Amino acid sequence: MMDPQQLDRMFTALADAGRRGMVERLSIGPATVKELAGPANMRLPSALKHLKVLEDGGIVVSRKVGRTRTYNMQPAAFAAIDEWVRKRQTAMNQAFDRLVEAMKEMPEEQDRS
């Protein structure tokens, strides 16, 4: 079971449209801070703050070589989110199945016309 606080950090990281745009870009492949900041019309310090949130959320990982920092997706994060969603879907489907069964047991109304 995933740590609820880590799950909160993941959803918080994905709550911002700019960060989701960075995630979309990183789904294609690794990118530098400059490559991620440009399409989002962000200055580098702002982009770094957003990338820090994504990194704290476990969505991305970074690597620094010389003066260049490159970011990559962290696929395990999406597996954890997928598992959380799947569990909610299973619980909802079970609730609907119980509702259908309960409705089958209810007496039908007769037409009173």
Side-chain angles (χ1 to χ4, degrees), residues 62-102:
S62 68
R63 193 179 96 187
K64 189 171 183 179
V65 177
R67 299 188 74 180
T68 304
R69 184 170 294 277
T70 303
Y71 287 83
N72 290 292
M73 293 291 295
Q74 183 71 297
F78 290 96
I81 291 169
D82 188 49
E83 179 184 349
W84 184 86
V85 169
R86 186 181 41 77
K87 285 181 180 179
R88 304 298 78 71
Q89 287 175 326
T90 299
M92 285 179 50
N93 288 338
Q94 289 171 347
F96 281 122
D97 290 344
R98 287 191 304 272
L99 177 61
V100 167
E101 290 304 314

PDB file of all heavy atoms in Angstrom, residues 62-102:
ATOM      1  N   SER A  62      15.951  13.723 -11.505  1.00  0.00           N
ATOM      2  CA  SER A  62      16.900  14.577 -12.227  1.00  0.00           C
ATOM      3  C   SER A  62      18.312  14.030 -12.075  1.00  0.00           C
ATOM      4  O   SER A  62      18.621  13.281 -11.144  1.00  0.00           O
ATOM      5  CB  SER A  62      16.832  16.009 -11.715  1.00  0.00           C
ATOM      6  OG  SER A  62      17.330  16.088 -10.388  1.00  0.00           O
ATOM      7  N   ARG A  63      19.126  14.461 -13.015  1.00  0.00           N
ATOM      8  CA  ARG A  63      20.531  14.089 -13.000  1.00  0.00           C
ATOM      9  C   ARG A  63      21.321  15.302 -13.481  1.00  0.00           C
ATOM     10  O   ARG A  63      20.935  15.938 -14.463  1.00  0.00           O
ATOM     11  CB  ARG A  63      20.759  12.917 -13.939  1.00  0.00           C
ATOM     12  CG  ARG A  63      22.112  12.262 -13.756  1.00  0.00           C
ATOM     13  CD  ARG A  63      22.257  11.106 -14.680  1.00  0.00           C
ATOM     14  NE  ARG A  63      22.986  11.654 -15.832  1.00  0.00           N
ATOM     15  CZ  ARG A  63      23.208  11.012 -16.941  1.00  0.00           C
ATOM     16  NH1 ARG A  63      22.731   9.825 -17.117  1.00  0.00           N
ATOM     17  NH2 ARG A  63      23.889  11.573 -17.912  1.00  0.00           N
ATOM     18  N   LYS A  64      22.371  15.612 -12.770  1.00  0.00           N
ATOM     19  CA  LYS A  64      23.185  16.772 -13.142  1.00  0.00           C
ATOM     20  C   LYS A  64      24.537  16.297 -13.665  1.00  0.00           C
ATOM     21  O   LYS A  64      25.223  15.523 -13.010  1.00  0.00           O
ATOM     22  CB  LYS A  64      23.372  17.698 -11.945  1.00  0.00           C
ATOM     23  CG  LYS A  64      24.018  19.005 -12.308  1.00  0.00           C
ATOM     24  CD  LYS A  64      23.994  19.975 -11.143  1.00  0.00           C
ATOM     25  CE  LYS A  64      24.595  21.302 -11.571  1.00  0.00           C
ATOM     26  NZ  LYS A  64      24.572  22.276 -10.494  1.00  0.00           N
ATOM     27  N   VAL A  65      24.851  16.759 -14.867  1.00  0.00           N
ATOM     28  CA  VAL A  65      26.159  16.482 -15.464  1.00  0.00           C
ATOM     29  C   VAL A  65      26.760  17.838 -15.808  1.00  0.00           C
ATOM     30  O   VAL A  65      26.231  18.560 -16.652  1.00  0.00           O
ATOM     31  CB  VAL A  65      26.036  15.605 -16.731  1.00  0.00           C
ATOM     32  CG1 VAL A  65      27.403  15.399 -17.371  1.00  0.00           C
ATOM     33  CG2 VAL A  65      25.384  14.263 -16.400  1.00  0.00           C
ATOM     34  N   GLY A  66      27.830  18.178 -15.111  1.00  0.00           N
ATOM     35  CA  GLY A  66      28.420  19.507 -15.300  1.00  0.00           C
ATOM     36  C   GLY A  66      27.435  20.562 -14.820  1.00  0.00           C
ATOM     37  O   GLY A  66      26.968  20.525 -13.695  1.00  0.00           O
ATOM     38  N   ARG A  67      27.083  21.489 -15.704  1.00  0.00           N
ATOM     39  CA  ARG A  67      26.137  22.544 -15.341  1.00  0.00           C
ATOM     40  C   ARG A  67      24.724  22.244 -15.841  1.00  0.00           C
ATOM     41  O   ARG A  67      23.815  23.037 -15.643  1.00  0.00           O
ATOM     42  CB  ARG A  67      26.615  23.872 -15.933  1.00  0.00           C
ATOM     43  CG  ARG A  67      27.981  24.283 -15.387  1.00  0.00           C
ATOM     44  CD  ARG A  67      28.335  25.640 -15.830  1.00  0.00           C
ATOM     45  NE  ARG A  67      27.515  26.593 -15.074  1.00  0.00           N
ATOM     46  CZ  ARG A  67      27.564  27.891 -15.199  1.00  0.00           C
ATOM     47  NH1 ARG A  67      28.388  28.422 -16.060  1.00  0.00           N
ATOM     48  NH2 ARG A  67      26.804  28.672 -14.487  1.00  0.00           N
ATOM     49  N   THR A  68      24.544  21.103 -16.481  1.00  0.00           N
ATOM     50  CA  THR A  68      23.257  20.787 -17.079  1.00  0.00           C
ATOM     51  C   THR A  68      22.499  19.764 -16.241  1.00  0.00           C
ATOM     52  O   THR A  68      23.013  18.691 -15.934  1.00  0.00           O
ATOM     53  CB  THR A  68      23.450  20.230 -18.511  1.00  0.00           C
ATOM     54  OG1 THR A  68      24.194  21.181 -19.267  1.00  0.00           O
ATOM     55  CG2 THR A  68      22.124  19.964 -19.177  1.00  0.00           C
ATOM     56  N   ARG A  69      21.281  20.129 -15.897  1.00  0.00           N
ATOM     57  CA  ARG A  69      20.404  19.215 -15.160  1.00  0.00           C
ATOM     58  C   ARG A  69      19.353  18.687 -16.136  1.00  0.00           C
ATOM     59  O   ARG A  69      18.663  19.455 -16.800  1.00  0.00           O
ATOM     60  CB  ARG A  69      19.736  19.918 -13.981  1.00  0.00           C
ATOM     61  CG  ARG A  69      18.891  18.981 -13.140  1.00  0.00           C
ATOM     62  CD  ARG A  69      18.433  19.624 -11.850  1.00  0.00           C
ATOM     63  NE  ARG A  69      19.539  19.925 -10.950  1.00  0.00           N
ATOM     64  CZ  ARG A  69      20.109  19.050 -10.116  1.00  0.00           C
ATOM     65  NH1 ARG A  69      19.681  17.810 -10.077  1.00  0.00           N
ATOM     66  NH2 ARG A  69      21.082  19.421  -9.329  1.00  0.00           N
ATOM     67  N   THR A  70      19.256  17.366 -16.195  1.00  0.00           N
ATOM     68  CA  THR A  70      18.310  16.706 -17.090  1.00  0.00           C
ATOM     69  C   THR A  70      17.271  15.970 -16.253  1.00  0.00           C
ATOM     70  O   THR A  70      17.597  15.342 -15.240  1.00  0.00           O
ATOM     71  CB  THR A  70      19.051  15.715 -18.011  1.00  0.00           C
ATOM     72  OG1 THR A  70      20.053  16.435 -18.729  1.00  0.00           O
ATOM     73  CG2 THR A  70      18.103  15.064 -18.989  1.00  0.00           C
ATOM     74  N   TYR A  71      16.022  16.047 -16.698  1.00  0.00           N
ATOM     75  CA  TYR A  71      14.911  15.395 -15.995  1.00  0.00           C
ATOM     76  C   TYR A  71      14.367  14.244 -16.828  1.00  0.00           C
ATOM     77  O   TYR A  71      14.342  14.297 -18.059  1.00  0.00           O
ATOM     78  CB  TYR A  71      13.796  16.411 -15.711  1.00  0.00           C
ATOM     79  CG  TYR A  71      14.179  17.359 -14.614  1.00  0.00           C
ATOM     80  CD1 TYR A  71      14.958  18.473 -14.871  1.00  0.00           C
ATOM     81  CD2 TYR A  71      13.802  17.114 -13.302  1.00  0.00           C
ATOM     82  CE1 TYR A  71      15.335  19.336 -13.859  1.00  0.00           C
ATOM     83  CE2 TYR A  71      14.183  17.965 -12.276  1.00  0.00           C
ATOM     84  CZ  TYR A  71      14.947  19.073 -12.562  1.00  0.00           C
ATOM     85  OH  TYR A  71      15.331  19.912 -11.545  1.00  0.00           O
ATOM     86  N   ASN A  72      13.948  13.203 -16.112  1.00  0.00           N
ATOM     87  CA  ASN A  72      13.328  12.017 -16.710  1.00  0.00           C
ATOM     88  C   ASN A  72      12.057  11.688 -15.940  1.00  0.00           C
ATOM     89  O   ASN A  72      11.939  11.994 -14.745  1.00  0.00           O
ATOM     90  CB  ASN A  72      14.254  10.797 -16.602  1.00  0.00           C
ATOM     91  CG  ASN A  72      15.462  10.909 -17.484  1.00  0.00           C
ATOM     92  OD1 ASN A  72      15.344  10.871 -18.690  1.00  0.00           O
ATOM     93  ND2 ASN A  72      16.629  11.065 -16.862  1.00  0.00           N
ATOM     94  N   MET A  73      11.146  11.004 -16.620  1.00  0.00           N
ATOM     95  CA  MET A  73       9.929  10.527 -15.965  1.00  0.00           C
ATOM     96  C   MET A  73      10.289   9.413 -14.992  1.00  0.00           C
ATOM     97  O   MET A  73      11.262   8.698 -15.187  1.00  0.00           O
ATOM     98  CB  MET A  73       8.951   9.959 -16.999  1.00  0.00           C
ATOM     99  CG  MET A  73       8.395  10.993 -17.940  1.00  0.00           C
ATOM    100  SD  MET A  73       7.283  12.136 -17.135  1.00  0.00           S
ATOM    101  CE  MET A  73       5.973  11.049 -16.668  1.00  0.00           C
ATOM    102  N   GLN A  74       9.454   9.257 -13.980  1.00  0.00           N
ATOM    103  CA  GLN A  74       9.582   8.174 -13.016  1.00  0.00           C
ATOM    104  C   GLN A  74       8.357   7.271 -13.205  1.00  0.00           C
ATOM    105  O   GLN A  74       7.306   7.519 -12.596  1.00  0.00           O
ATOM    106  CB  GLN A  74       9.658   8.750 -11.599  1.00  0.00           C
ATOM    107  CG  GLN A  74       9.862   7.759 -10.509  1.00  0.00           C
ATOM    108  CD  GLN A  74      11.241   7.172 -10.521  1.00  0.00           C
ATOM    109  OE1 GLN A  74      11.621   6.514 -11.469  1.00  0.00           O
ATOM    110  NE2 GLN A  74      11.979   7.399  -9.461  1.00  0.00           N
ATOM    111  N   PRO A  75       8.432   6.251 -14.064  1.00  0.00           N
ATOM    112  CA  PRO A  75       7.257   5.436 -14.393  1.00  0.00           C
ATOM    113  C   PRO A  75       6.573   4.802 -13.189  1.00  0.00           C
ATOM    114  O   PRO A  75       5.367   4.611 -13.193  1.00  0.00           O
ATOM    115  CB  PRO A  75       7.813   4.368 -15.329  1.00  0.00           C
ATOM    116  CG  PRO A  75       9.090   4.920 -15.852  1.00  0.00           C
ATOM    117  CD  PRO A  75       9.621   5.819 -14.775  1.00  0.00           C
ATOM    118  N   ALA A  76       7.317   4.494 -12.154  1.00  0.00           N
ATOM    119  CA  ALA A  76       6.718   3.854 -10.972  1.00  0.00           C
ATOM    120  C   ALA A  76       5.655   4.745 -10.337  1.00  0.00           C
ATOM    121  O   ALA A  76       4.693   4.243  -9.747  1.00  0.00           O
ATOM    122  CB  ALA A  76       7.804   3.513  -9.954  1.00  0.00           C
ATOM    123  N   ALA A  77       5.808   6.055 -10.462  1.00  0.00           N
ATOM    124  CA  ALA A  77       4.817   6.973  -9.883  1.00  0.00           C
ATOM    125  C   ALA A  77       3.460   6.761 -10.535  1.00  0.00           C
ATOM    126  O   ALA A  77       2.430   6.741  -9.853  1.00  0.00           O
ATOM    127  CB  ALA A  77       5.273   8.419 -10.066  1.00  0.00           C
ATOM    128  N   PHE A  78       3.443   6.594 -11.836  1.00  0.00           N
ATOM    129  CA  PHE A  78       2.177   6.421 -12.529  1.00  0.00           C
ATOM    130  C   PHE A  78       1.571   5.056 -12.252  1.00  0.00           C
ATOM    131  O   PHE A  78       0.353   4.906 -12.245  1.00  0.00           O
ATOM    132  CB  PHE A  78       2.338   6.706 -14.023  1.00  0.00           C
ATOM    133  CG  PHE A  78       2.563   8.162 -14.264  1.00  0.00           C
ATOM    134  CD1 PHE A  78       3.847   8.657 -14.411  1.00  0.00           C
ATOM    135  CD2 PHE A  78       1.503   9.043 -14.277  1.00  0.00           C
ATOM    136  CE1 PHE A  78       4.059  10.018 -14.591  1.00  0.00           C
ATOM    137  CE2 PHE A  78       1.702  10.402 -14.456  1.00  0.00           C
ATOM    138  CZ  PHE A  78       2.984  10.890 -14.615  1.00  0.00           C
ATOM    139  N   ALA A  79       2.410   4.079 -11.976  1.00  0.00           N
ATOM    140  CA  ALA A  79       1.893   2.766 -11.583  1.00  0.00           C
ATOM    141  C   ALA A  79       1.169   2.883 -10.243  1.00  0.00           C
ATOM    142  O   ALA A  79       0.108   2.284 -10.051  1.00  0.00           O
ATOM    143  CB  ALA A  79       3.030   1.751 -11.506  1.00  0.00           C
ATOM    144  N   ALA A  80       1.708   3.670  -9.331  1.00  0.00           N
ATOM    145  CA  ALA A  80       1.078   3.860  -8.020  1.00  0.00           C
ATOM    146  C   ALA A  80      -0.252   4.603  -8.160  1.00  0.00           C
ATOM    147  O   ALA A  80      -1.246   4.238  -7.520  1.00  0.00           O
ATOM    148  CB  ALA A  80       2.013   4.628  -7.087  1.00  0.00           C
ATOM    149  N   ILE A  81      -0.288   5.628  -9.005  1.00  0.00           N
ATOM    150  CA  ILE A  81      -1.526   6.372  -9.232  1.00  0.00           C
ATOM    151  C   ILE A  81      -2.555   5.470  -9.891  1.00  0.00           C
ATOM    152  O   ILE A  81      -3.732   5.456  -9.514  1.00  0.00           O
ATOM    153  CB  ILE A  81      -1.256   7.633 -10.075  1.00  0.00           C
ATOM    154  CG1 ILE A  81      -0.442   8.645  -9.264  1.00  0.00           C
ATOM    155  CG2 ILE A  81      -2.563   8.254 -10.567  1.00  0.00           C
ATOM    156  CD1 ILE A  81       0.093   9.804 -10.062  1.00  0.00           C
ATOM    157  N   ASP A  82      -2.113   4.673 -10.867  1.00  0.00           N
ATOM    158  CA  ASP A  82      -3.007   3.744 -11.553  1.00  0.00           C
ATOM    159  C   ASP A  82      -3.600   2.740 -10.567  1.00  0.00           C
ATOM    160  O   ASP A  82      -4.798   2.435 -10.623  1.00  0.00           O
ATOM    161  CB  ASP A  82      -2.252   3.035 -12.675  1.00  0.00           C
ATOM    162  CG  ASP A  82      -3.158   2.199 -13.538  1.00  0.00           C
ATOM    163  OD1 ASP A  82      -4.214   2.716 -13.969  1.00  0.00           O
ATOM    164  OD2 ASP A  82      -2.817   1.021 -13.797  1.00  0.00           O
ATOM    165  N   GLU A  83      -2.795   2.236  -9.656  1.00  0.00           N
ATOM    166  CA  GLU A  83      -3.279   1.290  -8.648  1.00  0.00           C
ATOM    167  C   GLU A  83      -4.333   1.948  -7.757  1.00  0.00           C
ATOM    168  O   GLU A  83      -5.366   1.363  -7.453  1.00  0.00           O
ATOM    169  CB  GLU A  83      -2.121   0.776  -7.794  1.00  0.00           C
ATOM    170  CG  GLU A  83      -2.569  -0.184  -6.706  1.00  0.00           C
ATOM    171  CD  GLU A  83      -1.428  -0.622  -5.800  1.00  0.00           C
ATOM    172  OE1 GLU A  83      -0.254  -0.367  -6.118  1.00  0.00           O
ATOM    173  OE2 GLU A  83      -1.730  -1.203  -4.751  1.00  0.00           O
ATOM    174  N   TRP A  84      -4.086   3.191  -7.351  1.00  0.00           N
ATOM    175  CA  TRP A  84      -5.041   3.905  -6.497  1.00  0.00           C
ATOM    176  C   TRP A  84      -6.377   4.074  -7.230  1.00  0.00           C
ATOM    177  O   TRP A  84      -7.438   3.824  -6.661  1.00  0.00           O
ATOM    178  CB  TRP A  84      -4.465   5.264  -6.107  1.00  0.00           C
ATOM    179  CG  TRP A  84      -5.339   6.021  -5.162  1.00  0.00           C
ATOM    180  CD1 TRP A  84      -5.363   5.914  -3.798  1.00  0.00           C
ATOM    181  CD2 TRP A  84      -6.343   6.980  -5.514  1.00  0.00           C
ATOM    182  NE1 TRP A  84      -6.320   6.759  -3.292  1.00  0.00           N
ATOM    183  CE2 TRP A  84      -6.932   7.432  -4.312  1.00  0.00           C
ATOM    184  CE3 TRP A  84      -6.788   7.510  -6.714  1.00  0.00           C
ATOM    185  CZ2 TRP A  84      -7.942   8.376  -4.298  1.00  0.00           C
ATOM    186  CZ3 TRP A  84      -7.795   8.455  -6.698  1.00  0.00           C
ATOM    187  CH2 TRP A  84      -8.357   8.880  -5.497  1.00  0.00           C
ATOM    188  N   VAL A  85      -6.331   4.484  -8.494  1.00  0.00           N
ATOM    189  CA  VAL A  85      -7.548   4.673  -9.287  1.00  0.00           C
ATOM    190  C   VAL A  85      -8.264   3.339  -9.467  1.00  0.00           C
ATOM    191  O   VAL A  85      -9.491   3.251  -9.318  1.00  0.00           O
ATOM    192  CB  VAL A  85      -7.226   5.322 -10.651  1.00  0.00           C
ATOM    193  CG1 VAL A  85      -8.415   5.293 -11.583  1.00  0.00           C
ATOM    194  CG2 VAL A  85      -6.743   6.757 -10.444  1.00  0.00           C
ATOM    195  N   ARG A  86      -7.511   2.290  -9.778  1.00  0.00           N
ATOM    196  CA  ARG A  86      -8.108   0.968  -9.995  1.00  0.00           C
ATOM    197  C   ARG A  86      -8.852   0.489  -8.747  1.00  0.00           C
ATOM    198  O   ARG A  86      -9.953  -0.051  -8.839  1.00  0.00           O
ATOM    199  CB  ARG A  86      -7.023  -0.033 -10.392  1.00  0.00           C
ATOM    200  CG  ARG A  86      -7.557  -1.397 -10.767  1.00  0.00           C
ATOM    201  CD  ARG A  86      -6.438  -2.376 -11.124  1.00  0.00           C
ATOM    202  NE  ARG A  86      -5.260  -2.325 -10.273  1.00  0.00           N
ATOM    203  CZ  ARG A  86      -5.188  -2.846  -9.045  1.00  0.00           C
ATOM    204  NH1 ARG A  86      -6.218  -3.441  -8.506  1.00  0.00           N
ATOM    205  NH2 ARG A  86      -4.072  -2.755  -8.348  1.00  0.00           N
ATOM    206  N   LYS A  87      -8.282   0.711  -7.586  1.00  0.00           N
ATOM    207  CA  LYS A  87      -8.949   0.306  -6.337  1.00  0.00           C
ATOM    208  C   LYS A  87     -10.248   1.078  -6.135  1.00  0.00           C
ATOM    209  O   LYS A  87     -11.245   0.526  -5.680  1.00  0.00           O
ATOM    210  CB  LYS A  87      -8.012   0.497  -5.142  1.00  0.00           C
ATOM    211  CG  LYS A  87      -6.937  -0.549  -5.077  1.00  0.00           C
ATOM    212  CD  LYS A  87      -6.050  -0.349  -3.871  1.00  0.00           C
ATOM    213  CE  LYS A  87      -4.975  -1.415  -3.819  1.00  0.00           C
ATOM    214  NZ  LYS A  87      -4.080  -1.249  -2.670  1.00  0.00           N
ATOM    215  N   ARG A  88     -10.244   2.373  -6.449  1.00  0.00           N
ATOM    216  CA  ARG A  88     -11.483   3.162  -6.328  1.00  0.00           C
ATOM    217  C   ARG A  88     -12.536   2.664  -7.316  1.00  0.00           C
ATOM    218  O   ARG A  88     -13.711   2.566  -7.000  1.00  0.00           O
ATOM    219  CB  ARG A  88     -11.232   4.647  -6.598  1.00  0.00           C
ATOM    220  CG  ARG A  88     -10.177   5.357  -5.755  1.00  0.00           C
ATOM    221  CD  ARG A  88     -10.394   5.441  -4.256  1.00  0.00           C
ATOM    222  NE  ARG A  88     -10.139   4.311  -3.428  1.00  0.00           N
ATOM    223  CZ  ARG A  88      -8.945   3.774  -3.105  1.00  0.00           C
ATOM    224  NH1 ARG A  88      -7.838   4.227  -3.591  1.00  0.00           N
ATOM    225  NH2 ARG A  88      -8.866   2.755  -2.276  1.00  0.00           N
ATOM    226  N   GLN A  89     -12.111   2.333  -8.538  1.00  0.00           N
ATOM    227  CA  GLN A  89     -13.045   1.818  -9.546  1.00  0.00           C
ATOM    228  C   GLN A  89     -13.637   0.487  -9.108  1.00  0.00           C
ATOM    229  O   GLN A  89     -14.836   0.258  -9.262  1.00  0.00           O
ATOM    230  CB  GLN A  89     -12.344   1.648 -10.902  1.00  0.00           C
ATOM    231  CG  GLN A  89     -12.054   2.946 -11.596  1.00  0.00           C
ATOM    232  CD  GLN A  89     -11.248   2.754 -12.870  1.00  0.00           C
ATOM    233  OE1 GLN A  89     -10.401   1.868 -12.958  1.00  0.00           O
ATOM    234  NE2 GLN A  89     -11.512   3.596 -13.852  1.00  0.00           N
ATOM    235  N   THR A  90     -12.823  -0.376  -8.548  1.00  0.00           N
ATOM    236  CA  THR A  90     -13.301  -1.673  -8.069  1.00  0.00           C
ATOM    237  C   THR A  90     -14.336  -1.483  -6.969  1.00  0.00           C
ATOM    238  O   THR A  90     -15.397  -2.124  -6.984  1.00  0.00           O
ATOM    239  CB  THR A  90     -12.122  -2.528  -7.558  1.00  0.00           C
ATOM    240  OG1 THR A  90     -11.212  -2.747  -8.648  1.00  0.00           O
ATOM    241  CG2 THR A  90     -12.593  -3.859  -7.005  1.00  0.00           C
ATOM    242  N   ALA A  91     -14.064  -0.598  -6.033  1.00  0.00           N
ATOM    243  CA  ALA A  91     -15.006  -0.346  -4.937  1.00  0.00           C
ATOM    244  C   ALA A  91     -16.325   0.215  -5.481  1.00  0.00           C
ATOM    245  O   ALA A  91     -17.410  -0.196  -5.032  1.00  0.00           O
ATOM    246  CB  ALA A  91     -14.394   0.627  -3.926  1.00  0.00           C
ATOM    247  N   MET A  92     -16.250   1.128  -6.441  1.00  0.00           N
ATOM    248  CA  MET A  92     -17.481   1.695  -7.011  1.00  0.00           C
ATOM    249  C   MET A  92     -18.268   0.629  -7.764  1.00  0.00           C
ATOM    250  O   MET A  92     -19.495   0.560  -7.646  1.00  0.00           O
ATOM    251  CB  MET A  92     -17.137   2.856  -7.943  1.00  0.00           C
ATOM    252  CG  MET A  92     -16.742   4.112  -7.204  1.00  0.00           C
ATOM    253  SD  MET A  92     -16.292   5.481  -8.305  1.00  0.00           S
ATOM    254  CE  MET A  92     -17.639   5.546  -9.425  1.00  0.00           C
ATOM    255  N   ASN A  93     -17.589  -0.210  -8.530  1.00  0.00           N
ATOM    256  CA  ASN A  93     -18.279  -1.274  -9.265  1.00  0.00           C
ATOM    257  C   ASN A  93     -18.964  -2.244  -8.314  1.00  0.00           C
ATOM    258  O   ASN A  93     -20.082  -2.689  -8.578  1.00  0.00           O
ATOM    259  CB  ASN A  93     -17.301  -2.016 -10.182  1.00  0.00           C
ATOM    260  CG  ASN A  93     -16.893  -1.182 -11.371  1.00  0.00           C
ATOM    261  OD1 ASN A  93     -17.588  -0.246 -11.771  1.00  0.00           O
ATOM    262  ND2 ASN A  93     -15.744  -1.494 -11.941  1.00  0.00           N
ATOM    263  N   GLN A  94     -18.324  -2.558  -7.210  1.00  0.00           N
ATOM    264  CA  GLN A  94     -18.928  -3.448  -6.223  1.00  0.00           C
ATOM    265  C   GLN A  94     -20.167  -2.805  -5.605  1.00  0.00           C
ATOM    266  O   GLN A  94     -21.184  -3.473  -5.385  1.00  0.00           O
ATOM    267  CB  GLN A  94     -17.918  -3.813  -5.136  1.00  0.00           C
ATOM    268  CG  GLN A  94     -16.835  -4.743  -5.639  1.00  0.00           C
ATOM    269  CD  GLN A  94     -15.714  -4.944  -4.634  1.00  0.00           C
ATOM    270  OE1 GLN A  94     -15.595  -4.222  -3.646  1.00  0.00           O
ATOM    271  NE2 GLN A  94     -14.869  -5.933  -4.897  1.00  0.00           N
ATOM    272  N   ALA A  95     -20.105  -1.501  -5.361  1.00  0.00           N
ATOM    273  CA  ALA A  95     -21.273  -0.804  -4.799  1.00  0.00           C
ATOM    274  C   ALA A  95     -22.434  -0.819  -5.787  1.00  0.00           C
ATOM    275  O   ALA A  95     -23.586  -1.045  -5.400  1.00  0.00           O
ATOM    276  CB  ALA A  95     -20.902   0.638  -4.432  1.00  0.00           C
ATOM    277  N   PHE A  96     -22.158  -0.611  -7.068  1.00  0.00           N
ATOM    278  CA  PHE A  96     -23.214  -0.655  -8.082  1.00  0.00           C
ATOM    279  C   PHE A  96     -23.783  -2.063  -8.216  1.00  0.00           C
ATOM    280  O   PHE A  96     -24.996  -2.238  -8.391  1.00  0.00           O
ATOM    281  CB  PHE A  96     -22.712  -0.146  -9.432  1.00  0.00           C
ATOM    282  CG  PHE A  96     -22.646   1.345  -9.515  1.00  0.00           C
ATOM    283  CD1 PHE A  96     -21.450   1.979  -9.810  1.00  0.00           C
ATOM    284  CD2 PHE A  96     -23.775   2.132  -9.305  1.00  0.00           C
ATOM    285  CE1 PHE A  96     -21.384   3.363  -9.889  1.00  0.00           C
ATOM    286  CE2 PHE A  96     -23.722   3.514  -9.381  1.00  0.00           C
ATOM    287  CZ  PHE A  96     -22.524   4.131  -9.676  1.00  0.00           C
ATOM    288  N   ASP A  97     -22.925  -3.070  -8.119  1.00  0.00           N
ATOM    289  CA  ASP A  97     -23.414  -4.456  -8.175  1.00  0.00           C
ATOM    290  C   ASP A  97     -24.363  -4.740  -7.015  1.00  0.00           C
ATOM    291  O   ASP A  97     -25.406  -5.381  -7.195  1.00  0.00           O
ATOM    292  CB  ASP A  97     -22.243  -5.446  -8.151  1.00  0.00           C
ATOM    293  CG  ASP A  97     -21.418  -5.426  -9.432  1.00  0.00           C
ATOM    294  OD1 ASP A  97     -21.903  -4.874 -10.454  1.00  0.00           O
ATOM    295  OD2 ASP A  97     -20.290  -5.966  -9.406  1.00  0.00           O
ATOM    296  N   ARG A  98     -24.024  -4.246  -5.827  1.00  0.00           N
ATOM    297  CA  ARG A  98     -24.904  -4.436  -4.659  1.00  0.00           C
ATOM    298  C   ARG A  98     -26.229  -3.708  -4.867  1.00  0.00           C
ATOM    299  O   ARG A  98     -27.291  -4.225  -4.510  1.00  0.00           O
ATOM    300  CB  ARG A  98     -24.212  -3.954  -3.384  1.00  0.00           C
ATOM    301  CG  ARG A  98     -23.098  -4.863  -2.909  1.00  0.00           C
ATOM    302  CD  ARG A  98     -22.594  -4.512  -1.507  1.00  0.00           C
ATOM    303  NE  ARG A  98     -22.151  -3.133  -1.385  1.00  0.00           N
ATOM    304  CZ  ARG A  98     -20.924  -2.700  -1.653  1.00  0.00           C
ATOM    305  NH1 ARG A  98     -20.001  -3.536  -2.068  1.00  0.00           N
ATOM    306  NH2 ARG A  98     -20.608  -1.438  -1.487  1.00  0.00           N
ATOM    307  N   LEU A  99     -26.185  -2.519  -5.467  1.00  0.00           N
ATOM    308  CA  LEU A  99     -27.403  -1.766  -5.737  1.00  0.00           C
ATOM    309  C   LEU A  99     -28.294  -2.523  -6.713  1.00  0.00           C
ATOM    310  O   LEU A  99     -29.516  -2.632  -6.500  1.00  0.00           O
ATOM    311  CB  LEU A  99     -27.066  -0.379  -6.291  1.00  0.00           C
ATOM    312  CG  LEU A  99     -28.246   0.498  -6.698  1.00  0.00           C
ATOM    313  CD1 LEU A  99     -29.153   0.779  -5.497  1.00  0.00           C
ATOM    314  CD2 LEU A  99     -27.749   1.782  -7.325  1.00  0.00           C
ATOM    315  N   VAL A 100     -27.723  -3.070  -7.761  1.00  0.00           N
ATOM    316  CA  VAL A 100     -28.495  -3.839  -8.742  1.00  0.00           C
ATOM    317  C   VAL A 100     -29.156  -5.034  -8.064  1.00  0.00           C
ATOM    318  O   VAL A 100     -30.345  -5.310  -8.285  1.00  0.00           O
ATOM    319  CB  VAL A 100     -27.594  -4.287  -9.922  1.00  0.00           C
ATOM    320  CG1 VAL A 100     -28.285  -5.326 -10.781  1.00  0.00           C
ATOM    321  CG2 VAL A 100     -27.184  -3.082 -10.757  1.00  0.00           C
ATOM    322  N   GLU A 101     -28.413  -5.730  -7.233  1.00  0.00           N
ATOM    323  CA  GLU A 101     -28.979  -6.899  -6.537  1.00  0.00           C
ATOM    324  C   GLU A 101     -30.110  -6.477  -5.591  1.00  0.00           C
ATOM    325  O   GLU A 101     -31.138  -7.145  -5.510  1.00  0.00           O
ATOM    326  CB  GLU A 101     -27.883  -7.646  -5.770  1.00  0.00           C
ATOM    327  CG  GLU A 101     -26.902  -8.367  -6.658  1.00  0.00           C
ATOM    328  CD  GLU A 101     -27.565  -9.345  -7.615  1.00  0.00           C
ATOM    329  OE1 GLU A 101     -28.436 -10.123  -7.177  1.00  0.00           O
ATOM    330  OE2 GLU A 101     -27.217  -9.313  -8.816  1.00  0.00           O
ATOM    331  N   ALA A 102     -29.922  -5.366  -4.893  1.00  0.00           N
ATOM    332  CA  ALA A 102     -30.972  -4.882  -3.980  1.00  0.00           C
ATOM    333  C   ALA A 102     -32.218  -4.488  -4.758  1.00  0.00           C
ATOM    334  O   ALA A 102     -33.344  -4.750  -4.311  1.00  0.00           O
ATOM    335  CB  ALA A 102     -30.460  -3.699  -3.162  1.00  0.00           C
TER     336      ALA A 102
END
